[in-house]
């Protein structure tokens, strides 16, 4: 009983006197996050400060998360949704309103990430980490990678069977659209035919379509060229210095991943405590030092490790075209699914 009181006081202090103060802070928090995206020391610190026990499950794509929440049996309190999927989750009623600006610590969010296009008033979500999508090359095997997405989509003959692509249609199509100079979420069947032709021609070179295990595959030399997010690329280079992230001349896909609370959450108050905790610059930096993705919280940079501060993968050239994919309309998703189904046959 005494422990519970101590925890309650700690939680009250942690929450400040904001509108989301929980009646209690003991109990559980079930987090569902991307693979390699939750720092163990951050979880330990949160558990110690709040007395809340965290359980973590992981997924590899927004599509997997969407399917899981739609199945209705998820039972998670925190999920991390990418910018292009937040409006879809909100529209489907899968995430609840959290009124981000009312959560203590909201002011710590970097001004450029407040009120973003995908959730104007941060009604449903607050930023976690952001990054860009392009590809990595192992220069032990590909001596002169150049600076074009052509290497990924039309690889040389000797790289046959040595290319890795993500396992999610939204991510594969978005980068193909950048390469082909198209706007994202194409609804024009003729343009999607071009995307399909490109991916079908690339397919014999592709060893695997899988968004998990990339650090191992590229780090070990199992694949030579791999579609990649820049933070995972930085972590891969730490394992194998021959692996380099390419900022292609055609541009990159940009995204922000956001914390949100499923409608089916058992403990939304504990979820908001976690969000508050993650909006503290020191905690967000601790997370970034693990994930190697840039934090959306102002002041986090002060706490970055040198490996994070100096990572070339995070130095997105100022003049590079960075295309933030919006939430695709259903018509575009249907076309993508058709292209994907054909590709995976
Ligand atoms: N290791 C997982 C990193 C998660 C990156 N999220 C990417 C979202 C892109 N749409």
């Amino acid at each position: 009983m005494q422990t519970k009181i101590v925890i309650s006081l700690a939680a009250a202090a942690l929450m400040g006197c904001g509108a989301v103060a929980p009646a209690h802070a003991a109990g559980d928090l079930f987090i569902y996050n991307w693979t390699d995206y939750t720092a163990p020391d951050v979880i330990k610190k949160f558990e110690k400060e709040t007395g809340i026990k965290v359980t973590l499950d992981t997924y590899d794509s927004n599509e997997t998360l969407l399917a899981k929440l739609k199945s209705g049996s998820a039972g998670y309190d925190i999920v991390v949704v990418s910018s292009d999927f937040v409006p879809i989750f909100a529209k489907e009623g899968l995430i609840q309103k959290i009124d981000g600006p009312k959560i203590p610590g909201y002011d710590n969010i970097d001004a450029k990430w407040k009120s973003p296009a995908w959730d104007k008033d941060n009604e449903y979500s607050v930023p976690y980490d952001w990054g860009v999508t392009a590809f990595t090359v192992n220069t032990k095997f590909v001596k002169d990678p150049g600076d074009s997405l052509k290497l990924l989509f039309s690889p040389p003959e000797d790289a046959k069977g040595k290319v890795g692509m993500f396992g999610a249609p939204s991510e594969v199509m978005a980068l193909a659209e950048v390469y082909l100079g198209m706007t994202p979420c194409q609804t024009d069947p003729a343009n999607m035919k071009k995307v399909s032709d490109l991916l079908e021609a690339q397919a014999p070179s592709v060893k695997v379509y899988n968004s998990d295990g990339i650090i191992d595959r590229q780090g070990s030399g199992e694949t030579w060229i791999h579609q990649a997010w820049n933070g995972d690329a930085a972590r891969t280079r730490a394992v194998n210095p021959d692996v380099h992230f390419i900022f292609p001349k055609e541009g990159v896909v940009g995204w922000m991943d956001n914390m949100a609370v499923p409608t089916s959450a058992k403990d939304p108050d504990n979820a908001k405590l976690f969000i508050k905790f993650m909006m503290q610059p020191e905690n967000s930096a601790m997370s970034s030092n693990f994930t190697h993705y840039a934090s959306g919280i102002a002041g986090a940079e002060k706490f970055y490790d040198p490996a994070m501060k100096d990572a070339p993968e995070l130095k997105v050239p100022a003049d590079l075209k960075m295309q933030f994919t919006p939430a695709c309309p259903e018509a575009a998703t249907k076309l993508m699914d058709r292209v994907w189904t054909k590709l995976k046959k």
Side-chain angles (χ1 to χ4, degrees), residues 267-315:
D267 209 327
D269 286 335
N270 283 357
K272 286 175 191 166
L273 273 178
F274 184 75
I275 292 173
K276 181 196 171 188
F277 175 86
M278 289 306 296
M279 289 194 294
Q280 302 310 307
E282 202 171 343
N283 299 335
S284 183
M286 197 188 276
S287 168
S288 288
N289 286 333
F290 173 83
T291 64
H292 283 66
Y293 289 96
S295 165
I297 302 299
E301 327 77 59
K302 276 201 309 250
F303 301 100
Y304 283 172
D305 290 341
M308 180 68 193
K309 270 193 188 129
D310 302 338
E313 295 83 358
L314 299 194
K315 305 205 183 315

Side-chain angles (χ1 to χ4, degrees), residues 101-118:
K102 288 232 175 81
I103 301 180
Y106 177 82
D107 289 344
N108 296 336
I109 296 174
D110 194 313
K112 69 171 177 288
W113 298 118
K114 274 184 183 160
S115 310
W118 54 88

Side-chain angles (χ1 to χ4, degrees), residues 34-37 62 82 84 133 171 229 232 255 257 293:
W34 296 74
T35 316
D36 291 327
Y37 219 27
N62 289 293
S82 301
D84 51 336
T133 302
E171 306 238 38
W229 304 298
D232 280 42
W255 44 264
D257 287 332
Y293 289 96

